[in-house]
Amino acid sequence: MESLERDVTESENGSVVCATTVNRVDAAEDGWVVQMKTTGSHGSEESEAEADAVMARTVINATGLSAPFILNSIGKTLSPSFSPINIWYARGSYASYHGPGVSNVKHLIYPVPETGKNKHSFTSLGTHLTIDLGGNIKFGPDIEWIEPPAGEGWKVDGSLVYDERAMDYWMDHLIASSKQIPSMYQSVRSYLPGIKEEGLQPDYVGIRPKLGPPNTGFQDFVFRKDYAAGGDKKTGGPMISLLGIESPGLTSSLAIGEYVERHLVDSVLSITPVNNRLVIVNELMELLTELLTPL
């Protein structure tokens, strides 16, 4: 990380700003006005935060699974015909395992995706085996589609609903339970038939905002380019949004950064989600080859 930070700070006009919140982004005639608030280095109170604004020719919306909400919140400033990006929510549970059937396991195991009616198809990586830093085996995540009641949590315009009922809904769905254990057991025993169901215990849960509904296939690693000033590519600065960056987003983050810089920042290239994934794999392999080649 220190090496990456030096790459930025030692470049022309590069800087890394920490403890900074982006409060607002507005489209301008030839770029974007980004309003920020930076707290002090010793945990200053909000009242002591320093407000600032910068004019950016290009904005990279790399806010992880929150990227669609950011884009939706400024969509109408991009174009009156902007259609908000709909979000579907997938709950994923993990289970720890202590029991027989895994004594020879030394690495991660990813099952082949299941296809067909009522299968997870390509909407998830399947209930795979992972090993934590302590050497403990966990299985997950499975996939359980949930549908928040109207008004619970995020609105389609990107704003967040702060009310007790909404918070209770999300907190309830983040509690690990044994409800998913039987289905997880059936999934895991398809590639590890020696495990026992009683060895599985609920561990933790996460909720993934997905770009597509069930049974629609992969819709991740989508790179979208919008322009300020009503979408005018000649005068409006680009905003590049990285949408649906799920696993292995962290592993491929350096390759994604190189791909965006090489192909999207000054390009009008039109790309599809499927091509995104293939190109990122190629870029990642090239980067890993460079890193692993002996000096």
Side-chain angles (χ1 to χ4, degrees):
M1 292 301 294
E2 292 178 354
S3 175
L4 292 173
E5 184 176 354
R6 283 196 301 270
D7 288 343
V8 174
T9 56
E10 293 176 3
S11 64
E12 183 179 358
N13 298 323
S15 61
V16 176
V17 183
C18 300
T20 299
T21 300
V22 175
N23 294 326
R24 181 171 178 143
V25 179
D26 292 294
E29 184 175 349
D30 56 352
W32 306 87
V33 177
V34 182
Q35 299 183 36
M36 305 171 294
K37 185 171 290 186
T38 303
T39 58
S41 58
H42 301 289
S44 301
E45 296 295 330
E46 185 72 15
S47 59
E48 299 177 13
E50 178 182 349
D52 197 7
V54 297
M55 178 67 185
R57 168 67 180 173
T58 302
V59 169
I60 312 293
N61 176 13
T63 54
L65 297 180
S66 296
F69 306 125
I70 302 299
L71 190 59
N72 285 347
S73 69
I74 62 172
K76 292 302 181 181
T77 68
L78 302 175
S79 170
S81 60
F82 176 84
S83 296
I85 299 172
N86 292 320
I87 295 296
W88 286 262
Y89 295 95
R91 183 178 186 264
S93 299
Y94 279 84
S96 60
Y97 182 73
H98 299 280
V102 294
S103 59
N104 294 324
V105 173
K106 305 299 181 184
H107 52 73
L108 308 184
I109 299 177
Y110 283 78
V112 175
E114 301 175 27
T115 59
K117 186 177 181 180
N118 298 325
K119 302 295 185 181
H120 68 73
S121 185
F122 294 100
T123 54
S124 79
L125 297 176
T127 305
H128 57 270
L129 181 150
T130 185
I131 304 174
D132 65 19
L133 295 177
N136 303 305
I137 288 178
K138 301 180 189 295
F139 292 105
D142 64 352
I143 186 166
E144 176 190 3
W145 295 94
I146 62 175
E147 186 174 354
E152 304 289 325
W154 287 97
K155 290 182 179 179
V156 73
D157 65 358
S159 60
L160 188 60
V161 177
Y162 287 102
D163 65 58
E164 187 172 336
R165 196 168 64 121
M167 297 307 294
D168 286 346
Y169 176 85
W170 294 110
M171 292 303 295
D172 289 345
H173 284 80
L174 287 172
I175 298 174
S177 72
S178 59
K179 182 182 68 171
Q180 297 298 108
I181 294 296
S183 61
M184 295 179 73
Y185 169 68
Q186 293 300 324
S187 296
V188 173
R189 70 188 299 268
S190 66
Y191 61 91
L192 285 175
I195 71 163
K196 299 297 183 181
E197 183 173 352
E198 55 267 25
L200 294 167
Q201 295 295 325
D203 196 3
Y204 64 94
V205 176
I207 297 176
R208 291 163 289 175
K210 307 281 284 187
L211 298 179
N215 302 316
T216 56
F218 273 128
Q219 292 194 49
D220 59 2
F221 288 77
V222 175
F223 297 171
R224 170 173 172 152
K225 181 181 284 189
D226 294 277
Y227 290 85
D232 188 336
K233 297 180 181 180
K234 294 182 179 180
T235 61
M239 171 180 283
I240 300 167
S241 296
L242 313 182
L243 308 175
I245 307 299
E246 298 190 34
S247 178
L250 182 59
T251 303
S252 58
S253 58
L254 295 179
I256 291 173
E258 288 194 1
Y259 178 74
V260 170
E261 190 271 333
R262 291 178 184 177
H263 302 291
L264 296 180
V265 170
D266 296 316
S267 168
V268 293
L269 178 66
S270 177
I271 50 181
T272 64
V274 173
N275 287 338
N276 286 350
R277 177 178 286 274
L278 295 177
V279 172
I280 288 171
V281 170
N282 291 336
E283 296 272 353
L284 178 58
M285 292 306 296
E286 291 177 6
L287 180 61
L288 291 177
T289 300
E290 294 176 4
L291 294 175
L292 295 176
T293 299
L295 297 176

